[in-house]
Amino acid sequence: MMEIINFNNRYWDHVKLASKEYKEKTVVDVRGVKIGGDKPIVIAGNCSVESRVITKITAKTVKENSGHILRGGVFKSRTSPRSSKNQNKEKLILLKEIGNEFNLPIITEVTQVNQIDFVKKYADIIQIGTRSMRNTELLKEVSKTKKPILLKRGFDATIEEWLLSAEAIMLEGNEKIILCERGIRTYEPSTRNTLDISAIPMIKQISHLPIIIDPSHATGRRNLVSPLAKAGIVAGADGIMVEIHPEPEKSITDGFQSLDFNDFISLMNDIKTLTKR
Ligand code: PEP
Ligand code: MN
């Protein structure tokens, strides 16, 4: 790692368990879906879990188009308190039920320690959102569940800081971590964030952990999601996570960045061509 990094930063030497020196490669197995294996995986679904009908047609579309994992937010931290939607625990039970029906593992976020006991009963992957990456108490407690953890990069975090958060999870004994680059804040206002594509090969060189990208939250714009998803895969990402919705304009959250089903299907076809599956 020493040759690769500019050591103006102080804590690179603290990245031990998350570094390539500890291990060459980690493949996270989520009920048979291998993240970090030979083929990029696709996580797709609604931003927030909505009605049974919407969840069901979304899961069906994900499954029929070779997606691997179903996403849906229940406990979410939002930028604006006015954009928060009250969600309840039943939404997670619904997501799990529909995931089982279509044989899709599910991923959902936790934002607080007191949600973990409930969420771990249902989620196959527990997501740590961008605003929680630095919450070390949450990282420690979520590690103890022994569940696979998707660790999103803080929108203001360096790669060093991000890997230190992965280190915090690993220090508590859980090595099933998937990193997720979801865009960082730059001076460019025309996109919600800026997807740091270079983080993909960088992580590949310095860490054994799988890395996926989230072009939905990175761009905040539906028409930029597919090009960046493909760019991420070409750059070596182990997968993508995208928000989709049957009627994006009616989505309760993040509709402007959700793909409709036609766009999702053409993205999946493009990915098949790219990866020659
Ligand atoms: C999400 O994936 O639902 C989400 C809120 O993402 P982020 O934490 O990256 O903003
Ligand atoms: Mn969202």
Side-chain angles (χ1 to χ4, degrees):
M1 180 157 19
M2 292 288 173
E3 307 86 58
I4 299 169
I5 308 298
N6 172 346
F7 281 91
N8 289 332
N9 297 332
R10 283 170 302 161
Y11 291 119
W12 276 112
D13 283 352
H14 292 197
V15 180
K16 294 186 192 305
L17 300 176
S19 83
K20 254 207 175 353
E21 278 137 36
Y22 172 71
K23 203 172 163 187
E24 184 50 34
K25 192 173 166 66
T26 288
V27 178
V28 179
D29 189 319
V30 184
R31 288 178 43 205
V33 176
K34 294 191 172 30
I35 308 177
D38 299 338
K39 289 174 185 164
I41 61 95
V42 174
I43 303 174
N46 310 134
C47 175
S48 303
V49 181
E50 299 189 28
S51 67
R52 176 175 291 272
V53 172
I54 289 177
T55 310
K56 200 163 172 165
I57 48 173
T58 301
K60 186 167 184 283
T61 304
V62 172
K63 188 69 186 184
E64 284 178 353
N65 292 284
S66 316
H68 302 89
I69 294 169
L70 182 66
R71 66 152 282 148
V74 177
F75 303 111
K76 298 176 70 73
S77 51
R78 308 285 304 162
T79 307
S80 162
R82 295 188 193 279
S83 72
S84 298
K85 299 285 169 193
N86 281 336
Q87 291 288 75
N88 53 45
K89 290 181 168 183
E90 282 66 43
K91 294 282 184 199
L92 181 55
I93 299 173
L94 172 70
L95 185 69
K96 182 65 183 168
E97 190 189 317
I98 307 261
N100 283 344
E101 188 178 331
F102 290 92
N103 196 20
L104 289 167
I106 63 158
I107 175 168
T108 200
E109 180 173 348
V110 292
T111 54
Q112 288 176 33
V113 169
N114 64 11
Q115 297 157 355
I116 295 175
D117 275 346
F118 174 71
V119 170
K120 75 178 182 197
K121 286 195 250 167
Y122 301 96
D124 299 294
I125 306 177
I126 299 180
Q127 177 173 323
I128 298 292
T130 192
R131 296 164 192 79
S132 305
M133 187 211 84
R134 297 174 194 279
N135 184 340
T136 39
E137 204 51 43
L138 188 64
L139 299 177
K140 270 197 218 161
E141 292 306 313
V142 95
S143 176
K144 292 178 189 160
T145 65
K146 307 283 182 224
K147 292 259 174 180
I149 294 162
L150 183 92
L151 179 63
K152 287 197 151 193
R153 179 180 184 179
F155 58 77
D156 58 350
T158 62
I159 291 175
E160 176 198 38
E161 289 162 338
W162 187 20
L163 286 178
L164 287 167
S165 291
E167 190 79 14
I169 296 172
M170 292 186 76
L171 276 168
E172 287 296 323
N174 188 342
E175 303 194 351
K176 289 179 266 181
I177 302 169
I178 305 137
L179 299 170
C180 178
E181 160 60 43
R182 49 77 71 207
I184 50 176
R185 180 162 288 174
T186 68
Y187 53 79
E188 176 51 60
S190 63
T191 48
R192 191 172 175 181
N193 294 279
T194 298
L195 185 71
D196 183 7
I197 290 272
S198 57
I200 302 164
M202 177 67 99
I203 289 290
K204 287 281 164 205
Q205 286 175 45
I206 62 184
S207 178
H208 54 87
L209 294 171
I211 175 170
I212 70 163
I213 56 151
D214 169 355
S216 306
H217 292 90
T219 60
R221 298 169 75 113
R222 184 176 312 134
N223 55 3
L224 300 182
V225 168
S226 291
L228 286 190
K230 290 181 264 183
I233 287 173
V234 172
D238 296 300
I240 60 166
M241 175 157 81
V242 288
E243 291 181 339
I244 66 172
H245 196 280
E247 293 179 284
E249 58 294 342
K250 294 193 182 151
S251 174
I252 60 169
T253 49
D254 283 353
F256 32 86
Q257 68 192 32
S258 298
L259 297 179
D260 65 22
F261 290 171
N262 284 335
D263 286 343
F264 175 64
I265 292 167
S266 58
L267 171 61
M268 292 305 281
N269 288 333
D270 288 354
I271 291 175
K272 273 179 211 148
T273 312
L274 271 181
T275 56
K276 301 217 167 40
R277 280 197 272 182

